[in-house]
Amino acid sequence: MVNQIKDVQPIRNIEDLHRMEWALGRFCGERDVTLFKIGCNTALRCSDILQIKTKDLLKLKNKREKIYKIKEKKTDKTRNIDFTAFYDDILPYVESCNSEWLFPSRKGDKPISVTQAYRQLNKAADMAEVDHIGTHTMRKTAGYWLYKRTNDIVKVQRFLNHTNPSVTRRYIGISDEEMHDTLRTFNLFA
């Protein structure tokens, strides 16, 4: 098998986002839909999402603000992740999860691997006909849509925990998109 570098991109189209959610539910399962929703709403790396324990999200149920504290593996920094806006969407799955881990593997008492999450996302992407999907798609999608809603690259930079705005622009693909949009109507002779 030839290794190919995959050009992982954010999902820039709401219809594609909904098709991915549908395909994950139809061809994978509620576990994978929930993983996708958390990833696209929090911008957490997949490796951090997979470490979430069921009891920790259940503790948020009766709280007004659903703030989950996590220590990121890559940066070793502690972050407060706000689940408030989408908590009710994931609660039925969280309550039905009969495992210590929110995303349990069928192979023993541990969470699924990042590789397994990648496989599930790509299986759904094939069914939904969405290209350029990887585990970072969820994180990039969260950053992309936050930028589209706020037009504030510094806010997105802080959200993604990046060191400077140029890294963030490149990561979420905004520079390329803005250039493409500009050139689409660029004609000096019109």
Side-chain angles (χ1 to χ4, degrees):
M1 182 175 164
V2 177
N3 279 341
Q4 293 179 330
I5 296 175
K6 193 162 189 171
D7 179 25
V8 175
Q9 294 292 318
I11 298 174
R12 294 180 174 92
N13 180 301
I14 290 293
E15 290 78 22
D16 288 349
L17 197 64
H18 289 298
R19 280 202 325 275
M20 274 295 294
E21 177 188 12
W22 173 84
L24 282 162
R26 177 83 166 83
F27 300 105
C28 299
E30 201 57 32
R31 175 194 72 185
D32 303 305
V33 172
T34 303
L35 173 76
F36 186 68
K37 285 181 177 180
I38 290 174
C40 289
N41 281 297
T42 65
L44 283 171
R45 290 174 184 86
C46 191
S47 59
D48 293 325
I49 296 169
L50 296 177
Q51 296 308 307
I52 297 173
K53 294 191 175 180
T54 306
K55 67 178 180 175
D56 294 332
L57 288 191
L58 285 173
K59 287 178 190 176
L60 303 177
K61 186 175 179 180
N62 295 319
K63 295 187 178 181
R64 189 168 162 251
E65 290 187 350
K66 318 293 190 205
I67 307 296
Y68 175 71
K69 188 175 278 199
I70 189 167
K71 187 172 186 176
E72 294 179 321
K73 282 183 168 186
K74 182 177 179 179
T75 64
D76 208 34
K77 293 178 183 175
T78 300
R79 280 184 59 198
N80 290 324
I81 306 300
D82 196 334
F83 279 71
T84 306
F86 65 96
Y87 187 79
D88 290 343
D89 290 342
I90 64 169
L91 184 59
Y93 170 77
V94 174
E95 289 179 326
S96 72
C97 188
N98 294 321
S99 170
E100 171 186 9
W101 302 102
L102 190 59
F103 304 104
S105 170
R106 292 185 197 130
K107 300 175 183 175
D109 188 28
K110 58 186 178 183
I112 62 171
S113 66
V114 172
T115 301
Q116 182 61 21
Y118 174 85
R119 285 186 193 121
Q120 296 299 89
L121 290 169
N122 273 274
K123 179 182 185 180
D126 287 345
M127 298 301 174
E129 298 180 351
V130 177
D131 295 325
H132 309 294
I133 299 296
T135 57
H136 270 270
T137 295
M138 298 177 291
R139 182 169 160 79
K140 289 182 177 195
T141 299
Y144 175 85
W145 285 101
L146 181 61
Y147 179 76
K148 285 298 196 182
R149 289 190 179 168
T150 65
N151 210 29
D152 185 342
I153 199 66
V154 174
K155 189 176 280 183
V156 178
Q157 171 195 343
R158 289 182 53 218
F159 181 57
L160 295 173
N161 213 359
H162 285 162
T163 54
N164 75 51
S166 65
V167 170
T168 303
R169 281 184 166 290
R170 192 169 47 253
Y171 186 76
I172 64 175
I174 289 297
S175 299
D176 293 343
E177 182 181 276
E178 288 173 343
M179 180 60 81
H180 179 73
D181 288 347
T182 300
L183 294 176
R184 185 183 336 213
T185 58
F186 185 76
N187 180 353
L188 291 176
F189 301 97

